[in-house]
Amino acid sequence: MKSEIRTSRCEGSLPEHYGNQCGTPRSGILGLRMDGRRTLYGAGSFPGPGLAASRFGQQTREVRNAKCEVQTTNDERRSVSACSRSRFVILFLTLFQAMTRAVAQPSESVSSEAILMLERGEYQETSEKLAALPNPDPFQLRLLIEAHDSLGQFDQAQAVARRLLRFRGSVVLPGDMAQVAYALWYLQRWEDANQVYIEASEETAPPLSLFVDWGNLYLEKFNPGEAESIFGDGLKAKSAPDTSPRWGEADALLGLSKSYRDQSKSGPASQTLEAAISLEPENLRVLAYQATLALQEEDWNQVAELLEKGFEKAPGSLELLELQCALTYFTESTEEFEKAKQDVLKVNPRDGGLYELLGDLSVTKRRQEEAVEFYGKAFELDPSKWSALASKGINLLRLGREEEGIAALEESYAGDPYNIWTVNTLRLLDSLDRFRVYETPHFKIRLHQEEAEALRPYVEDLLETSFVYLQERYAHQVEGKVVFEMYTDHEDFAVRTLGMPGLGALGATFGRVVAMDSPSARPKGQFHWASTLRHEVAHVVTLSMSNTRVPRWLTEGLSM
């Protein structure tokens, strides 16, 4: 599952060589074909329901920045099954399947009870109940996957997913087809899952739950623009009959809110979240998301209140236990943290999600070294968490540990070519041979070759003068050398900072690494680059002397 703690912008025109998170049409195939002897990295963004064959990472690593040719074909992802059957046959099979299910067993009551048990965190009891069914339907098998996964029983969950795939081609109800897609998703067959979701959505009256699952797949694969469209379609389908009612309208609104937030549409994100809260105030996913946002804002009291409310309904919820653990960690409650961590691992001894959450939250607080450790632990416990490995690599780069960071990103890309942060960062790193490196007593400086000689004397003087003065002023010595980078292309700086183009800032500091626009990255007369340089150097000192614990408002004020 994709972490909620992601930010990006999709404003303005973006360079061809970087993938972005903005949505794209769900018809046709957008292909990127490369001129030259080597092929481009996948664009990283999970495609729309007919997007980007070459974005799906079948390419090799090399030459990510060659000239692209965009080609669109509208009919390639049409459902083979829909084309080969008449509507009359589909209708007959649909009615027959529904009637067979109704007389075979009280399926809906069993599934409803299993959903409630999963909500309460009774994962072991749920798995035993569903595993005992003689002829579980696709939805029940999907719930069994969820139960095994929550217990850290990944091998069992994968076995059930493969069992569920046997229904592929024989089920015609769109809700059942969606469960097959879920199994493909769980097995990391993302393209196949996407295709089955397309086919299911083209059937008569596709249900809301189908669109919620599908939209969440797109959020996980870093395409919130397309996810926004899918959740919107789901809300239009909320009155359709659902034989597999895993999610409700509030869940669709929650997904829509996340999609808006990941595109920096803060107004619609807040409004949609409020709508979800008003509709279903005790929805556990909504409560957990509110708690996650409150953790980012360090509103500890609100986090505690939300978790207390959630635990009243679901005392064993793994997601709530993870958030409780995060609360104790960031409020420096050591003993409580150890107890909360054991509570989580008692439920799921292989819960990489806990450590990925701690890593994501550490990044928002500029605690990169802790984040790297957490991400490493997440991937160690759950080797399918490619997002954690990618985040580890990006934060190793932010610490100046470039060889380790590149290795982690390369491994992550091999496992998941749809992570747009991974792809963009590796493309940027491929371009660094165009930079020249200089060293001063306190800095390792990287300047673009086109302006290195002109900027070098000014940059070196400003860095050293500002750094020495600030260390004397605060009576604090920063150990080791700081990496300082200037980018002639603003989008290169944005990718170095967030992994995404479109950042509105001029500079950024990650403790031991500073990145910023060079004078040529901005229109003449609109950018006082020396002030930005001094501002970022001040961050280096205040972050170092506080061990990155300084509040953001304070370090920003001191850097003015």
Side-chain angles (χ1 to χ4, degrees):
M1 179 180 178
K2 170 183 167 302
S3 169
E4 317 301 353
I5 306 170
R6 300 287 191 188
T7 55
S8 66
R9 294 186 185 273
C10 293
E11 301 168 357
S13 59
L14 300 174
E16 288 183 350
H17 57 288
Y18 288 130
N20 67 83
Q21 291 182 317
C22 301
T24 43
R26 270 190 274 165
S27 61
I29 295 178
L30 176 64
L32 296 178
R33 290 196 316 208
M34 303 315 306
D35 297 325
R37 63 188 180 87
R38 296 181 293 180
T39 54
L40 176 72
Y41 244 130
S45 174
F46 192 74
L51 284 186
S54 65
R55 289 188 177 189
F56 275 98
Q58 302 303 317
Q59 308 90 338
T60 59
R61 170 182 187 269
E62 303 163 43
V63 182
R64 300 163 185 130
N65 297 299
K67 182 180 177 182
C68 299
E69 178 185 339
V70 178
Q71 183 180 37
T72 303
T73 309
N74 285 328
D75 297 322
E76 221 164 294
R77 283 196 176 265
R78 279 221 171 280
S79 166
V80 174
S81 59
C83 291
S84 61
R85 298 191 303 245
S86 70
R87 283 295 171 188
F88 175 79
V89 173
I90 294 173
L91 178 60
F92 173 78
L93 290 174
T94 301
L95 292 172
F96 176 78
Q97 201 167 67
M99 292 171 62
T100 302
R101 176 178 293 182
V103 300
Q105 58 178 324
S107 179
E108 289 187 9
S109 62
V110 173
S111 300
S112 298
E113 185 177 355
I115 290 172
L116 292 175
M117 293 169 69
L118 286 173
E119 291 268 311
R120 295 192 294 265
E122 298 168 0
Y123 308 115
Q124 185 63 43
E125 295 85 346
T126 306
S127 66
E128 292 171 357
K129 182 180 185 67
L130 294 173
L133 294 174
N135 296 300
D137 61 37
F139 186 44
Q140 291 161 348
L141 289 174
R142 177 256 176 77
L143 297 176
L144 184 55
I145 294 171
E146 291 189 40
H148 282 313
D149 184 74
S150 297
L151 293 167
Q153 299 170 350
F154 303 142
D155 291 341
Q156 293 95 317
Q158 290 174 8
V160 176
R162 287 190 289 271
R163 180 181 174 189
L164 178 48
L165 292 189
R166 298 173 191 168
F167 285 91
R168 189 177 186 182
S170 63
V171 292
V172 293
L173 294 175
D176 287 343
M177 295 171 69
Q179 310 318 311
V180 172
Y182 180 85
L184 290 164
W185 176 6
Y186 190 81
L187 294 170
Q188 298 193 348
R189 292 171 57 180
W190 300 297
E191 280 189 79
D192 291 338
N194 187 50
Q195 178 60 29
V196 175
Y197 280 127
I198 296 169
E199 296 171 6
S201 70
E202 292 175 346
E203 297 292 347
T204 303
L208 172 64
S209 291
L210 181 157
F211 292 99
V212 174
D213 276 334
W214 195 11
N216 282 326
L217 171 61
Y218 272 76
L219 284 179
E220 181 184 283
K221 294 302 154 196
F222 311 100
N223 191 339
E226 190 61 36
E228 174 190 337
S229 174
I230 293 171
F231 287 121
D233 287 348
L235 289 168
K236 296 173 186 176
K238 64 184 179 182
S239 60
D242 195 347
T243 57
S244 309
R246 184 65 183 97
W247 311 116
E249 184 178 352
D251 296 292
L253 288 168
L254 175 61
L256 186 58
S257 177
K258 293 177 182 179
S259 302
Y260 286 139
R261 187 171 188 272
D262 282 359
Q263 298 173 81
S264 295
K265 299 177 180 179
S266 57
S270 298
Q271 294 165 10
T272 311
L273 180 58
E274 287 300 321
I277 296 169
S278 299
L279 183 65
E280 195 177 342
E282 294 188 358
N283 182 296
L284 289 178
R285 275 80 56 195
V286 175
L287 285 172
Y289 185 61
Q290 289 177 271
T292 301
L293 297 180
L295 277 168
Q296 293 180 58
E297 297 299 323
E298 300 188 359
D299 190 342
W300 313 128
N301 290 333
Q302 186 185 15
V303 177
E305 290 173 6
L306 289 165
L307 292 179
E308 182 180 3
K309 184 177 180 181
F311 282 128
E312 288 176 0
K313 182 178 180 181
S317 167
L318 184 61
E319 187 171 19
L320 297 180
L321 289 171
E322 291 170 348
L323 291 166
Q324 178 69 41
C325 188
L327 175 62
T328 60
Y329 182 79
F330 290 103
T331 53
E332 312 288 345
S333 306
T334 306
E335 292 184 8
E336 289 84 351
F337 170 67
E338 289 301 323
K339 179 182 181 301
K341 183 172 68 173
Q342 292 308 313
D343 288 342
V344 172
L345 298 179
K346 192 181 300 181
V347 176
N348 182 351
R350 300 172 64 186
D351 187 17
L354 167 64
Y355 292 96
E356 187 169 25
L357 172 67
L358 292 171
D360 288 339
L361 288 166
S362 296
V363 169
T364 67
K365 302 174 194 318
R366 301 202 237 195
R367 292 157 68 165
Q368 269 76 32
E369 291 186 4
E370 294 165 62
V372 165
E373 294 300 317
F374 284 134
Y375 288 133
K377 185 66 174 178
F379 189 68
E380 176 187 333
L381 288 175
D382 183 356
S384 71
K385 283 207 167 292
W386 302 110
S387 57
L389 183 60
S391 295
K392 177 183 177 180
I394 288 172
N395 283 282
L396 283 167
L397 294 176
R398 290 169 175 171
L399 292 170
R401 295 160 60 180
E402 293 184 0
E403 289 187 8
E404 296 173 80
I406 292 170
L409 287 170
E410 293 283 11
E411 184 180 356
S412 172
Y413 177 79
D416 181 3
Y418 310 118
N419 188 322
I420 196 167
W421 283 270
T422 303
V423 173
N424 285 343
T425 302
L426 285 168
R427 285 182 185 165
L428 174 64
L429 292 170
D430 283 346
S431 73
L432 293 186
D433 57 0
R434 294 176 292 178
F435 285 71
R436 295 180 184 175
V437 178
Y438 307 97
E439 296 205 21
T440 67
H442 297 102
F443 290 90
K444 177 182 177 180
I445 303 169
R446 184 175 280 137
L447 302 174
H448 196 279
Q449 60 188 12
E450 292 180 357
E451 57 185 24
E453 291 305 316
L455 281 177
R456 179 184 177 184
Y458 302 102
V459 169
E460 288 183 347
D461 180 61
L462 280 168
L463 285 173
E464 286 295 332
T465 301
S466 301
F467 199 62
V468 170
Y469 166 74
L470 288 165
Q471 288 188 115
E472 291 177 353
R473 177 183 178 186
Y474 292 113
H476 175 76
Q477 297 296 310
V478 178
E479 296 183 4
K481 289 194 175 184
V482 177
V483 176
F484 177 84
E485 302 170 349
M486 267 188 161
Y487 292 92
T488 57
D489 185 334
H490 174 74
E491 303 304 355
D492 287 343
F493 156 68
V495 167
R496 180 65 164 105
T497 304
L498 284 181
M500 287 291 302
L503 177 67
L506 301 172
T509 302
F510 300 103
R512 306 201 59 76
V513 174
V514 176
M516 62 173 285
D517 283 339
S518 79
S520 60
R522 294 283 176 169
K524 185 177 180 180
Q526 295 185 15
F527 176 36
H528 196 295
W529 65 270
S531 296
T532 299
L533 182 151
R534 285 191 291 265
H535 177 97
E536 299 304 332
V537 169
H539 282 316
V540 173
V541 178
T542 54
L543 288 170
S544 174
M545 67 186 298
S546 67
N547 193 26
T548 69
R549 297 307 197 268
V550 59
R552 185 175 294 273
W553 63 266
L554 180 56
T555 186
E556 292 296 340
L558 292 172
S559 297
M560 297 302 291

